[in-house]
């Protein structure tokens, strides 16, 4: 353990026995702090509960515990699969346990947790807490019964602790803490220890390729244009709208937090701008992360999915992104080496004239002269490699040479012992896809990897065309329908030019893809033939080969191509073809030739670092695993720089000062990658500076340690009201009000409403309900729906069934529609509400639901606190609900029909529906009729006087009696 870790633990254990909030820099080994606290815990102190760590954090903690004491038993996990008695015994055992907040709060409310035996709670993700979170609910319930239990919260996301107003202070208040411990990277103890024996660092700045730099510049220009458009709305704080902030995921949260309350008033353009900024950030990230073909493929998907919806595609610089991305992969040239530009009007006319003639497609592009038929269009593959790939291979070669020199040096000086630092080389990438690509580049070669990606890209084009022609029938001469049909209105000359070049490009790509597929089929057929034939002479082989190719029309051209490919030293073999044929098969042969030549180059330049190279491991930073502690590498290559991972390397080196460690950093020079890395460090330092200022100005109440917390806060104002009591009522004594109680379904503890209800002083009874979510009284049942859940419930039909069961078993069924406090209090703007009922409109669905269930009451709530106030008002003058009865509602019973029970079998729904349709029976009296008579046969025999008592009036009784006594007509 490092010294500053010991100092943090000392501050927690000695200065404040009731716990505290620790905020440290990202990557400073939060798991080691938590594992040390678990190791220091003894069963005699009581039970220690660790609340819901993330899966990577949990695995890291268990790894550190096993590493420090392999013989000790790791902390068990308390899950819902364990029965209640087993959970109770674990809570009483005095050990350390992992537990989810949902299970713990239910067990606390049902008194399954012996709170006097709980020593404390550890919360590892304090930055995600709010006043209404379940963790705050747990601490409040625990502190009300065990004021000596400590709460220790940790966070390694300082920038999340400064989002919002005084977030750190609010979190400390809801967790009943009085101490805030800040440990930034620039803290004196941390700096001294991490910089005492730093690793050897090699910073390599790789220049971007010309096309990559052009794409990056175009994306930043488009992003800046989108930000300027958003500033014009005057709805967002202008200070936050910068390109540097747009590089981070938190930018979306900043914008949405400001726009959510007025989201329904925004236009479509502003909403689309928010989505476009997210897309552009992805493009900047993918540009430096993935290869050229993958980037082009992603752009193609964006062109299809967002072509007429997004704003950024129509920006001035957006076309550069697509054009330069294509140039990184392929380009079109003529056989004389000139680029295909299509600037001549004469050429354009010939393209349009010969558009449908496959045999003359390429002759139309032979040049500005229409008589020149000696040139042909060739698809020249560029397949630009990522500049970092070559640098990575050079680094691996350098590592291998250094290892050999070290071994030679040891042999010359006769040194004994272990081979120092001849171990693992770790390459850290952003995600799994990047790891697999780099691994292929090392094991195969960059050219081969690019070749495979290129072939996949071409084959996807063919599959897409086949799917379109198979499932989409088009007329021979399709008519355009403007923007609805995907056609942008342009001038006639521009339209002709674009259509000619794009169609030529598309057909050449399809031809190359078809050739690749034909090659694959031919190779597979040849393999099958060679496998089936037992005798093979040279002559037989030739015949079989000719037989396999005899079905194609262009077999002479293919033979000619194969002969040219046999001579790899011939520079003129690529692109040469007969001058009297310019059909599509010529382009196919040229593409085949390029493919075969590039495959030969890939085979010749295979990986040279496979033999005798040190063990190489790839690690995805997104997995967040303790890879450095497990692998203990001697060389780390940070392919995608990440601030958290850099800190982990520093901590690892400080923990192992005798270990020699060399770190290579690969940055793209003058790229957003460098800008984002430096901005992340500045952002974290700025967050800590803000927290330091907040700590100096923080006002912490004396009772914030939880010693003054009561079980029922709603009864606190009674002391002041006693002075104004009427003295005639027993000397001013006031009766203690009975605490309100609400029965809550177990599944509702995923939301924060039970916490807010408990804050209002209500007693929460968690049970499993079949009907409803909240039972307020024997008559009132509430089904709570958030906005997202309401839409999904309507779509699946679940809401209709839920309302139907509530109407069947409860007199006052309520549908509560709860909005979020920081969002607009409406489904849609008033202009979007139509006059007619439509099956897709949410308001139409609600109207139909109310028409079908007239007794259903709909309550609209603006927030959680508004819902608590509504529940408080609805429970006024109502009896308290019965827990056992609420659990039995709607539950099938094995005993069949039970007297005075409310289970599903006891309700003859057909008879109830028949009763409600009788004349004189209304929604207000049918339940009284059901209580007064057991069956429809008994109802038919009741006299008018008893019917009047049950139905609430003589008129309704006579109406029903006349209907029951009326003679039916006969045919005679």
């Amino acid at each position: 353990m490092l010294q500053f870790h010991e100092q943090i633990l000392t501050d927690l254990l000695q200065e404040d026995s009731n716990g505290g909030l620790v905020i440290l820099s990202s990557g400073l080994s939060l798991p080691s702090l938590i594992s040390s606290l678990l190791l220091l815990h003894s069963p005699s102190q009581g039970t220690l509960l660790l609340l819901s760590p993330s899966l990577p954090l949990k695995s890291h903690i268990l790894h550190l515990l096993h590493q420090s004491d392999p013989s000790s038993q790791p902390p068990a996990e308390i899950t819902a699969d364990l029965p209640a008695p087993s959970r109770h015994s674990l809570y009483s055992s005095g050990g350390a346990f992992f537990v989810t907040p949902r299970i713990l709060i239910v067990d606390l409310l049902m008194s399954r947790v012996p709170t006097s035996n709980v020593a404390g709670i550890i919360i590892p993700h304090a930055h995600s807490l709010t006043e209404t979170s379940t963790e705050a609910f747990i601490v409040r319930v625990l502190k009300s019964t065990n004021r000596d239990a400590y709460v220790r919260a940790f966070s390694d996301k300082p920038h999340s602790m400064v989002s919002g107003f005084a977030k750190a202070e609010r979190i400390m208040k809801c967790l009943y803490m009085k101490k805030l411990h800040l440990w930034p990277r620039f803290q004196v103890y941390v700096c001294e220890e991490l910089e005492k024996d730093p690793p050897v660092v090699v910073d390599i700045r790789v220049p971007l390729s010309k096309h990559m730099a052009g794409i990056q510049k175009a994306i930043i220009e488009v992003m800046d244009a989108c930000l300027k458009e958003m500033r014009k709305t005057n709805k967002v704080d202008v200070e936050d709208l910068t390109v540097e902030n747009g590089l981070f995921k938190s930018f979306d949260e900043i914008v949405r937090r400001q726009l959510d309350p007025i989201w329904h008033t925004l236009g479509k353009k502003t909403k689309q701008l928010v989505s476009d900024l997210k897309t552009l950030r992805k493009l900047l990230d993918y540009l430096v992360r993935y290869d050229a073909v993958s980037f082009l493929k992603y752009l193609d998907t964006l062109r299809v999915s967002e072509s007429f919806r997004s704003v950024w595609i129509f920006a001035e610089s957006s076309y550069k992104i697509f054009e330069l991305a294509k140039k990184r992969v392929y380009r079109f040239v003529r056989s004389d080496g000139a680029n295909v530009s299509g600037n001549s009007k004469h050429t354009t006319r010939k393209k349009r004239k010969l558009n449908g003639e496959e045999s003359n497609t390429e002759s139309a592009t032979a040049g500005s002269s229409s008589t020149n038929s000696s040139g042909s269009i060739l698809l020249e593959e560029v397949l630009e490699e990522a500049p970092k790939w070559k640098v990575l291979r050079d680094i691996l070669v350098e590592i291998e040479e250094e290892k050999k020199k070290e071994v030679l040096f040891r042999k010359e000086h006769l040194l004994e012992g272990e081979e120092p630092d001849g171990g693992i080389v770790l390459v850290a990438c952003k995600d799994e896809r990047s790891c697999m690509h780099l691994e292929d580049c090392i094991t195969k070669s960059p050219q081969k990897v690019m070749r495979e990606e290129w072939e996949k890209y071409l084959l996807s084009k063919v599959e897409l065309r086949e799917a379109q022609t198979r499932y989409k029938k088009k007329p021979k001469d399709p008519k355009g329908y403007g923007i609805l049909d995907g056609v942008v209105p342009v001038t006639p000359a521009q339209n002709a030019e674009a259509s000619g070049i794009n169609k030529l490009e598309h057909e050449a790509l399809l031809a190359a893809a078809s050739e690749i597929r034909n090659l694959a089929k031919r190779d597979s057929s040849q393999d099958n033939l060679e496998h089936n034939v037992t005798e093979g002479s040279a002559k037989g082989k030739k015949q079989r080969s000719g037989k396999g190719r005899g079905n194609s029309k262009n077999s002479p051209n293919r033979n000619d191509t194969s002969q040219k490919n046999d001579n790899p030293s011939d520079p003129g073999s690529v692109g040469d073809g007969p001058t009297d044929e310019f059909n599509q098969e010529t382009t196919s042969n040229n593409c085949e030739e390029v493919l075969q030549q590039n495959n030969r180059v890939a085979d010749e330049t295979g990986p040279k670092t496979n033999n005798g190279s040190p063990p190489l491991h790839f690690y995805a930073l997104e997995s967040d695993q303790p890879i450095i502690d497990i692998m203990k590498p001697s060389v780390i290559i940070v392919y995608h720089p990440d601030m958290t991972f850099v800190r982990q390397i520093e901590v690892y080196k400080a923990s192992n000062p005798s270990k020699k460690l060399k770190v290579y950093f690969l940055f793209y020079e003058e790229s957003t990658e460098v800008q984002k890395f430096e901005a992340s460090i500045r952002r974290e330092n700025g967050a800590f500076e803000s927290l330091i200022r907040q700590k100096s100005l923080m006002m912490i109440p004396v009772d914030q340690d939880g010693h003054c917390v009561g079980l029922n806060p709603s009864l606190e104002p009674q002391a002041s009201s006693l002075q104004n009591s009427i003295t005639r009522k027993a000397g001013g004594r006031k009766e203690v009000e009975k605490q309100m109680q609400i029965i809550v379904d177990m599944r509702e503890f995923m939301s924060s409403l039970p916490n807010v209800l408990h804050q209002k002083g209500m007693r929460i009874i968690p049970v499993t309900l079949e009907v409803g979510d909240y039972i307020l009284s024997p008559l009132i049942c509430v089904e709570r729906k958030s906005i997202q859940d309401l839409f999904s419930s309507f779509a699946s039909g679940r809401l209709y069934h839920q309302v139907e069961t509530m109407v069947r078993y409860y007199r006052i069924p309520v549908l509560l529609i709860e909005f979020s406090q920081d969002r607009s209090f409406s489904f849609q703007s008033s202009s979007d509400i139509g006059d007619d009922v439509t099956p897709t409109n949410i308001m139409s669905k609600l109207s139909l639901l109310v028409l079908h269930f007239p007794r259903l009451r709909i309550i609209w709530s603006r927030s959680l606190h508004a819902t608590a106030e509504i529940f408080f008002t609805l429970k006024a003058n109502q009896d308290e609900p019965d827990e056992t009865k609420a659990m039995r509602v709607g539950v099938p019973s094995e005993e069949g029909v039970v007297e005075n029970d409310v289970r599903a079998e006891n309700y003859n729904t057909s008879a109830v529906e028949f009763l409600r349709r009788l004349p004189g029976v209304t929604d207000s009296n049918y339940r009284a009729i059901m209580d007064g008579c057991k069956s429809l046969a008994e109802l038919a025999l009741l006299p008018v006087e008893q019917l009047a008592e049950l139905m609430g009036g003589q008129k309704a009784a006579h109406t029903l009696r006349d209907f029951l006594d009326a003679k039916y007509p006969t045919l005679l």
Side-chain angles (χ1 to χ4, degrees), residues 728-947:
R728 292 184 179 182
K729 291 185 178 179
R733 185 177 63 192
K734 186 178 180 180
E735 295 182 2
V736 178
E737 294 181 5
K738 188 177 180 182
Q739 186 182 10
M740 288 185 177
Q741 62 184 25
I742 294 180
I743 299 174
V744 183
D745 186 28
M746 292 278 196
R747 295 175 285 269
E748 278 298 301
F749 282 90
M750 298 292 287
S751 71
S752 300
L753 184 56
N755 181 11
V756 177
L757 294 174
H758 187 269
Q759 279 182 331
K760 296 291 182 182
M762 301 182 188
R763 181 176 171 233
I764 305 299
I765 304 174
V767 297
T768 302
L769 296 177
E770 285 294 323
V771 179
D773 293 329
Y774 296 86
I775 309 299
L776 306 186
S777 73
L779 306 178
I780 303 176
C781 174
V782 179
E783 179 70 30
R784 173 185 164 275
K785 293 291 181 186
S786 62
I787 302 303
Q788 185 178 2
D789 192 20
L790 180 69
F791 278 84
S792 62
S793 299
F794 268 125
S796 63
R798 189 174 74 251
L799 182 59
Y800 180 88
H801 174 71
Q802 290 171 336
V803 173
E804 187 180 30
T805 54
M806 284 199 301
V807 170
R808 181 183 305 168
Y809 294 112
Y810 289 94
R811 186 168 296 178
I812 308 176
V814 177
L815 174 63
L816 173 71
I817 301 175
E818 187 176 85
F819 290 77
S820 180
Q821 187 172 4
D822 55 350
R823 300 200 175 185
S824 58
F825 188 43
S826 64
F827 286 125
Q828 53 197 9
S829 59
S830 56
S831 60
D832 295 336
I833 301 176
D835 298 331
D836 200 2
V837 174
T838 56
T840 57
N841 193 349
I842 186 67
M843 300 304 295
S844 300
K845 293 179 181 180
L846 279 173
S847 304
L848 293 174
L849 186 70
V850 174
L851 288 173
H852 196 79
F853 299 103
R855 287 195 300 113
L856 177 67
R857 301 292 177 260
I858 296 180
I859 294 179
W860 308 80
S861 175
R862 192 180 191 91
S863 64
L864 294 170
H865 296 279
T867 303
E869 294 293 339
I870 292 169
F871 281 7
F872 196 86
T873 306
L874 290 176
K875 283 187 63 65
N877 302 322
Q878 292 282 341
D879 296 332
E880 296 298 334
D882 185 5
E883 177 184 348
T884 56
K885 186 176 180 181
M887 292 175 62
R888 297 169 72 92
V889 170
V891 180
S893 61
E894 298 177 357
E895 299 87 4
V897 177
V898 182
E899 194 70 25
N900 295 327
D901 202 355
V902 288
R903 298 195 183 186
E905 283 79 0
N906 292 332
Y907 280 83
N908 187 348
T909 55
S910 300
V912 174
E913 292 296 326
F914 179 77
L915 171 66
R916 293 179 62 184
R917 284 167 172 76
L918 293 177
V921 180
T922 62
D923 288 336
S924 60
N925 61 17
Y926 85 96
R927 284 185 176 273
I929 297 173
M930 291 171 60
D931 294 337
C933 53
K934 296 182 178 179
S935 63
L936 290 173
E938 185 179 343
L939 174 66
L941 300 176
L942 287 179
V944 178
E945 293 78 11
Q946 292 187 19
L947 282 176

Side-chain angles (χ1 to χ4, degrees), residues 130-282:
T130 60
E131 295 92 336
T132 59
S133 58
T134 310
E135 289 82 358
F137 192 6
I138 290 170
V139 173
R140 186 170 64 253
V141 174
L142 180 64
K143 286 284 188 178
S144 64
T145 54
N146 182 6
R147 295 171 181 173
D148 295 327
Y150 60 82
V151 180
R152 290 167 183 152
F154 298 88
S155 174
D156 58 354
K157 302 268 190 308
H159 56 273
S160 299
M161 297 297 293
V162 293
S163 61
F165 177 73
K167 184 173 181 179
E169 188 174 353
R170 288 187 283 113
I171 290 175
M172 291 174 65
K173 185 177 180 180
C174 70
L175 296 180
Y176 301 99
M177 293 176 175
K178 298 177 71 174
K179 292 287 185 180
L180 174 62
H181 307 279
L182 301 176
W183 289 86
R185 171 62 178 81
F186 55 81
Q187 211 266 358
V188 177
Y189 294 137
V190 180
C191 280
E192 288 179 355
E193 192 155 12
L194 295 185
E195 296 174 4
K196 188 188 300 179
D197 190 12
V200 179
V201 177
V202 181
D203 191 352
I204 302 175
R205 301 298 173 109
V206 184
L208 289 169
S209 68
K210 184 179 70 173
H211 295 322
M212 288 179 70
I215 293 173
Q216 177 181 276
K217 182 181 177 183
I219 294 175
I220 292 175
E221 287 176 359
V222 174
M223 184 180 287
D224 193 35
C226 291
L227 290 173
K228 286 179 181 176
E229 287 291 326
M230 189 171 286
R231 290 190 195 103
K232 293 178 183 178
T233 61
N234 297 326
K235 310 258 179 165
V236 191
D237 188 4
V238 180
E239 293 180 359
D240 294 330
L241 295 183
T242 61
V243 176
E244 184 174 292
N245 287 338
L247 300 177
F248 297 96
K249 288 184 180 179
S250 58
F251 180 77
D252 301 331
E253 300 172 7
I254 293 171
V255 175
R256 286 304 298 263
R257 195 188 309 121
Q258 296 185 36
L259 294 179
D260 273 341
I262 54 172
W263 189 255
H264 65 294
T265 64
L266 299 176
K268 291 182 180 179
K269 184 177 180 181
T270 307
K271 293 179 181 179
Q272 187 59 42
L273 281 171
V274 177
S275 176
D276 287 349
L277 288 170
K278 184 177 180 180
T279 303
L280 291 169
R281 189 186 65 244
K282 279 185 181 179

Side-chain angles (χ1 to χ4, degrees), residues 643-699:
M643 182 187 66
T644 303
F645 188 66
V646 171
R647 303 271 171 76
Q648 292 173 1
I649 295 172
E650 288 183 317
V651 171
Y652 167 73
K653 184 63 176 72
S655 304
N656 303 275
S658 60
K659 177 81 173 176
K660 288 185 179 179
L661 181 63
K662 192 170 185 179
V663 183
Y664 292 89
F665 285 100
L666 297 183
F667 286 98
Y668 278 119
E669 194 173 9
E670 297 180 355
S671 68
T672 54
E673 187 179 47
V674 180
Q675 187 179 359
K676 185 177 180 180
F677 180 76
E678 294 173 351
S680 62
I681 297 175
R682 287 196 300 270
R683 189 170 64 148
E684 186 184 85
N685 292 340
F688 269 112
E689 290 170 4
S690 175
L691 287 170
I692 291 169
R693 286 193 299 270
Q694 288 183 30
K695 184 178 179 180
S696 64
L697 303 173
M698 199 175 288
M699 293 182 293

